[in-house]
Amino acid sequence: MTQNYKVVTHPVTQTLEELDNAFREFVTVLLTDKPFPLNAIQAYQVSVEFFSTFFGQCKDLFHSQETLRFLNQSGFDAILTDPFFMCGAILAHHLSLPVVFFMRGLPCNLHFSAPQSPSPLSYIPRTFSFNSDHMTFFQRVENALISLLELDYCNGLYGEALKLSSEVLQRDVSLTDLLNSAAVSIMRFDFVFEYPRPVMPNMVFIGGVNCAKEKPLPKVQNSGFFYIEKAKI
């Protein structure tokens, strides 16, 4: 079998234990049931720490001149990346390459707002509202307030990414600048299981791609079918 890819590694400063601990703390806080707005505040705090820990690998990438030289000289046609940590998006701008996003979603509704896909507040609940698409008047007010705070929220969450991208690209960069240039966004969820909403034509939904291989259904005795049919009659 011909190998069609090459794995290139670069040195990082974080240990695997540090990454594991950051991830466990992040999941623990998100799964702890707390009332609003305490749940949103704690989720924000742990998210900033989580992002800062994992984004250190991106800083290490841009500090590795050997790796950057290899990427510049390889003549790639495009970059395929999950933009959650923004590193691939920053790298695509740095190398002036088209970028394809492969993702489940982004905080602050960025995967819809960056490409200017409408997100009606009347029936599209924001993440930390924990509402459904059937909201009361006051829940819609809460939804609107959360949406107003999202920009500041994500600017704080992705502060280190914005700082690094401005240094690398030598200009002021916003989150929208990093994310709105995707040629295609491959979304790892099924549109029919989400809230109904308008989407942009370059969004492709491939829900189920991450699911484990299904197991065959157990065989059922014929007598069981006869019994069920009789019960229905």
Side-chain angles (χ1 to χ4, degrees):
M1 180 177 177
T2 304
Q3 187 169 343
N4 296 318
Y5 61 90
K6 179 179 180 180
V7 177
V8 177
T9 60
H10 64 87
V12 296
T13 54
Q14 297 92 349
T15 65
L16 184 59
E17 183 180 5
E18 289 174 333
L19 299 178
D20 285 341
N21 290 338
F23 182 75
R24 277 195 291 267
E25 183 179 359
F26 175 72
V27 172
T28 299
V29 171
L30 291 188
L31 295 181
T32 302
D33 188 21
K34 286 186 171 57
F36 181 85
L38 186 60
N39 55 356
I41 294 172
Q42 291 192 343
Y44 173 74
Q45 291 172 340
V46 75
S47 296
V48 171
E49 295 174 4
F50 172 76
F51 179 82
S52 177
T53 301
F54 277 79
F55 190 71
Q57 299 174 77
C58 190
K59 293 179 180 178
D60 293 333
L61 169 63
F62 281 97
H63 290 154
S64 175
Q65 295 303 316
E66 181 181 351
T67 305
L68 291 178
R69 192 178 307 112
F70 166 79
L71 294 173
N72 270 302
Q73 295 174 354
S74 295
F76 293 112
D77 296 318
I79 289 181
L80 173 66
T81 181
D82 186 327
F84 183 83
F85 289 107
M86 299 292 169
C87 196
I90 298 172
L91 185 62
H93 283 271
H94 176 65
L95 299 177
S96 299
L97 289 175
V99 61
V100 176
F101 289 153
F102 182 74
M103 60 178 169
R104 175 59 182 86
L106 291 168
C108 308
N109 206 46
L110 284 170
H111 50 299
F112 289 114
S113 62
Q116 300 182 6
S117 183
S119 295
L121 294 174
S122 59
Y123 63 90
I124 302 295
R126 288 305 191 257
T127 303
F128 290 122
S129 71
F130 301 101
N131 294 325
S132 71
D133 56 337
H134 297 283
M135 291 178 277
T136 65
F137 172 76
F138 290 106
Q139 286 175 328
R140 290 177 179 176
V141 171
E142 177 187 69
N143 206 41
L145 291 175
I146 291 175
S147 71
L148 292 175
L149 296 173
E150 280 181 337
L151 183 59
D152 286 336
Y153 176 94
C154 266
N155 281 336
L157 176 63
Y158 286 114
E160 292 194 36
L162 292 173
K163 181 180 178 181
L164 178 65
S165 59
S166 296
E167 293 174 358
V168 170
L169 303 176
Q170 297 296 303
R171 57 183 173 86
D172 291 335
V173 179
S174 68
L175 291 173
T176 301
D177 294 333
L178 291 176
L179 297 171
N180 66 0
S181 58
V184 179
S185 292
I186 303 174
M187 316 298 285
R188 297 197 309 265
F189 56 88
D190 197 319
F191 181 80
V192 300
F193 293 133
E194 300 296 317
Y195 299 114
R197 66 191 309 153
V199 296
M200 302 305 284
N202 66 335
M203 292 181 175
V204 181
F205 295 87
I206 55 168
V209 69
N210 286 354
C211 294
K213 186 176 181 180
E214 69 279 4
K215 297 180 180 179
L217 294 173
K219 293 183 179 181
V220 180
Q221 297 285 343
N222 287 338
S223 58
F225 283 112
F226 291 132
Y227 176 78
I228 292 173
E229 290 299 325
K230 290 178 182 178
K232 287 181 178 179
I233 293 172

